């Protein structure tokens, strides 16, 4: 059983977020990163997963009692993709080279 809300289950804000694909789940008390669409535009998202200390399992950001995602500004996206590439090589993440290359083309 997880002591945090897994990123696959974070679907808010529903009226702005669509086609979410989790790229990285650092686990409890760490970050998650995802790709999807924000108002129909390609975007990268990040959130802190939370932890089961003092019932802070929603993580951050959150709104009205729902776990949410934060859409990254353009100038940070390349740094996040670089982090994913390094993590992929060091931890053998399930993010394929094809996906990373496609994201680099989108956000360059």
């Amino acid at each position: 059983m997880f002591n945090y809300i897994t990123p696959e289950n974070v679907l808010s804000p529903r009226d702005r977020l669509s086609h979410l694909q989790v790229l990285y789940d650092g686990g409890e008390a760490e970050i998650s990163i995802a790709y999807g669409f924000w108002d129909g535009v390609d975007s990268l998202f990040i959130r802190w997963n939370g932890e089961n200390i003092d019932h802070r399992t929603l993580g951050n950001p959150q709104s009205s009692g729902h776990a949410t995602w934060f859409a990254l500004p353009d100038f940070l996206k390349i740094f996040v993709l670089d982090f994913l590439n390094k993590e992929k090589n060091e931890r053998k993440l399930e993010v394929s080279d094809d996906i990373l290359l496609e994201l680099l083309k989108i956000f360059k």
Side-chain angles (χ1 to χ4, degrees):
M1 183 170 135
F2 292 104
N3 290 319
Y4 66 99
I5 297 175
T6 59
E8 293 85 2
N9 292 314
V10 179
L11 304 173
S12 291
R14 291 183 186 272
D15 60 335
R16 303 189 81 184
L17 181 66
S18 64
H19 300 89
L20 191 73
Q21 178 183 358
V22 175
L23 303 172
Y24 176 80
D25 177 0
E28 182 179 6
E30 294 293 334
I31 65 165
S32 285
I33 300 167
Y35 164 75
F37 297 98
W38 182 265
D39 293 338
V41 177
D42 290 290
S43 226
L44 286 178
F45 304 94
I46 195 166
R47 69 180 323 277
W48 175 68
N49 288 329
E51 57 191 320
N52 197 13
I53 296 175
D54 298 329
H55 307 289
R56 295 182 295 183
T57 58
L58 280 180
N60 205 6
Q62 57 181 285
S63 178
S64 302
H66 298 282
T68 63
W69 288 97
F70 171 76
L72 288 170
D74 289 340
F75 73 93
L76 289 177
K77 292 174 184 173
I78 196 73
F79 297 107
V80 170
L81 291 173
D82 184 52
F83 165 80
L84 287 173
N85 190 48
K86 287 178 184 172
E87 287 293 297
K88 179 184 74 66
N89 294 328
E90 291 175 15
R91 294 191 196 186
K92 309 247 189 270
L93 295 180
E94 296 299 318
V95 178
S96 73
D97 287 333
D98 292 340
I99 290 173
L100 284 175
L101 286 173
E102 187 64 30
L103 292 173
L104 281 168
K105 289 178 190 174
I106 291 170
F107 296 120
K108 207 163 191 188

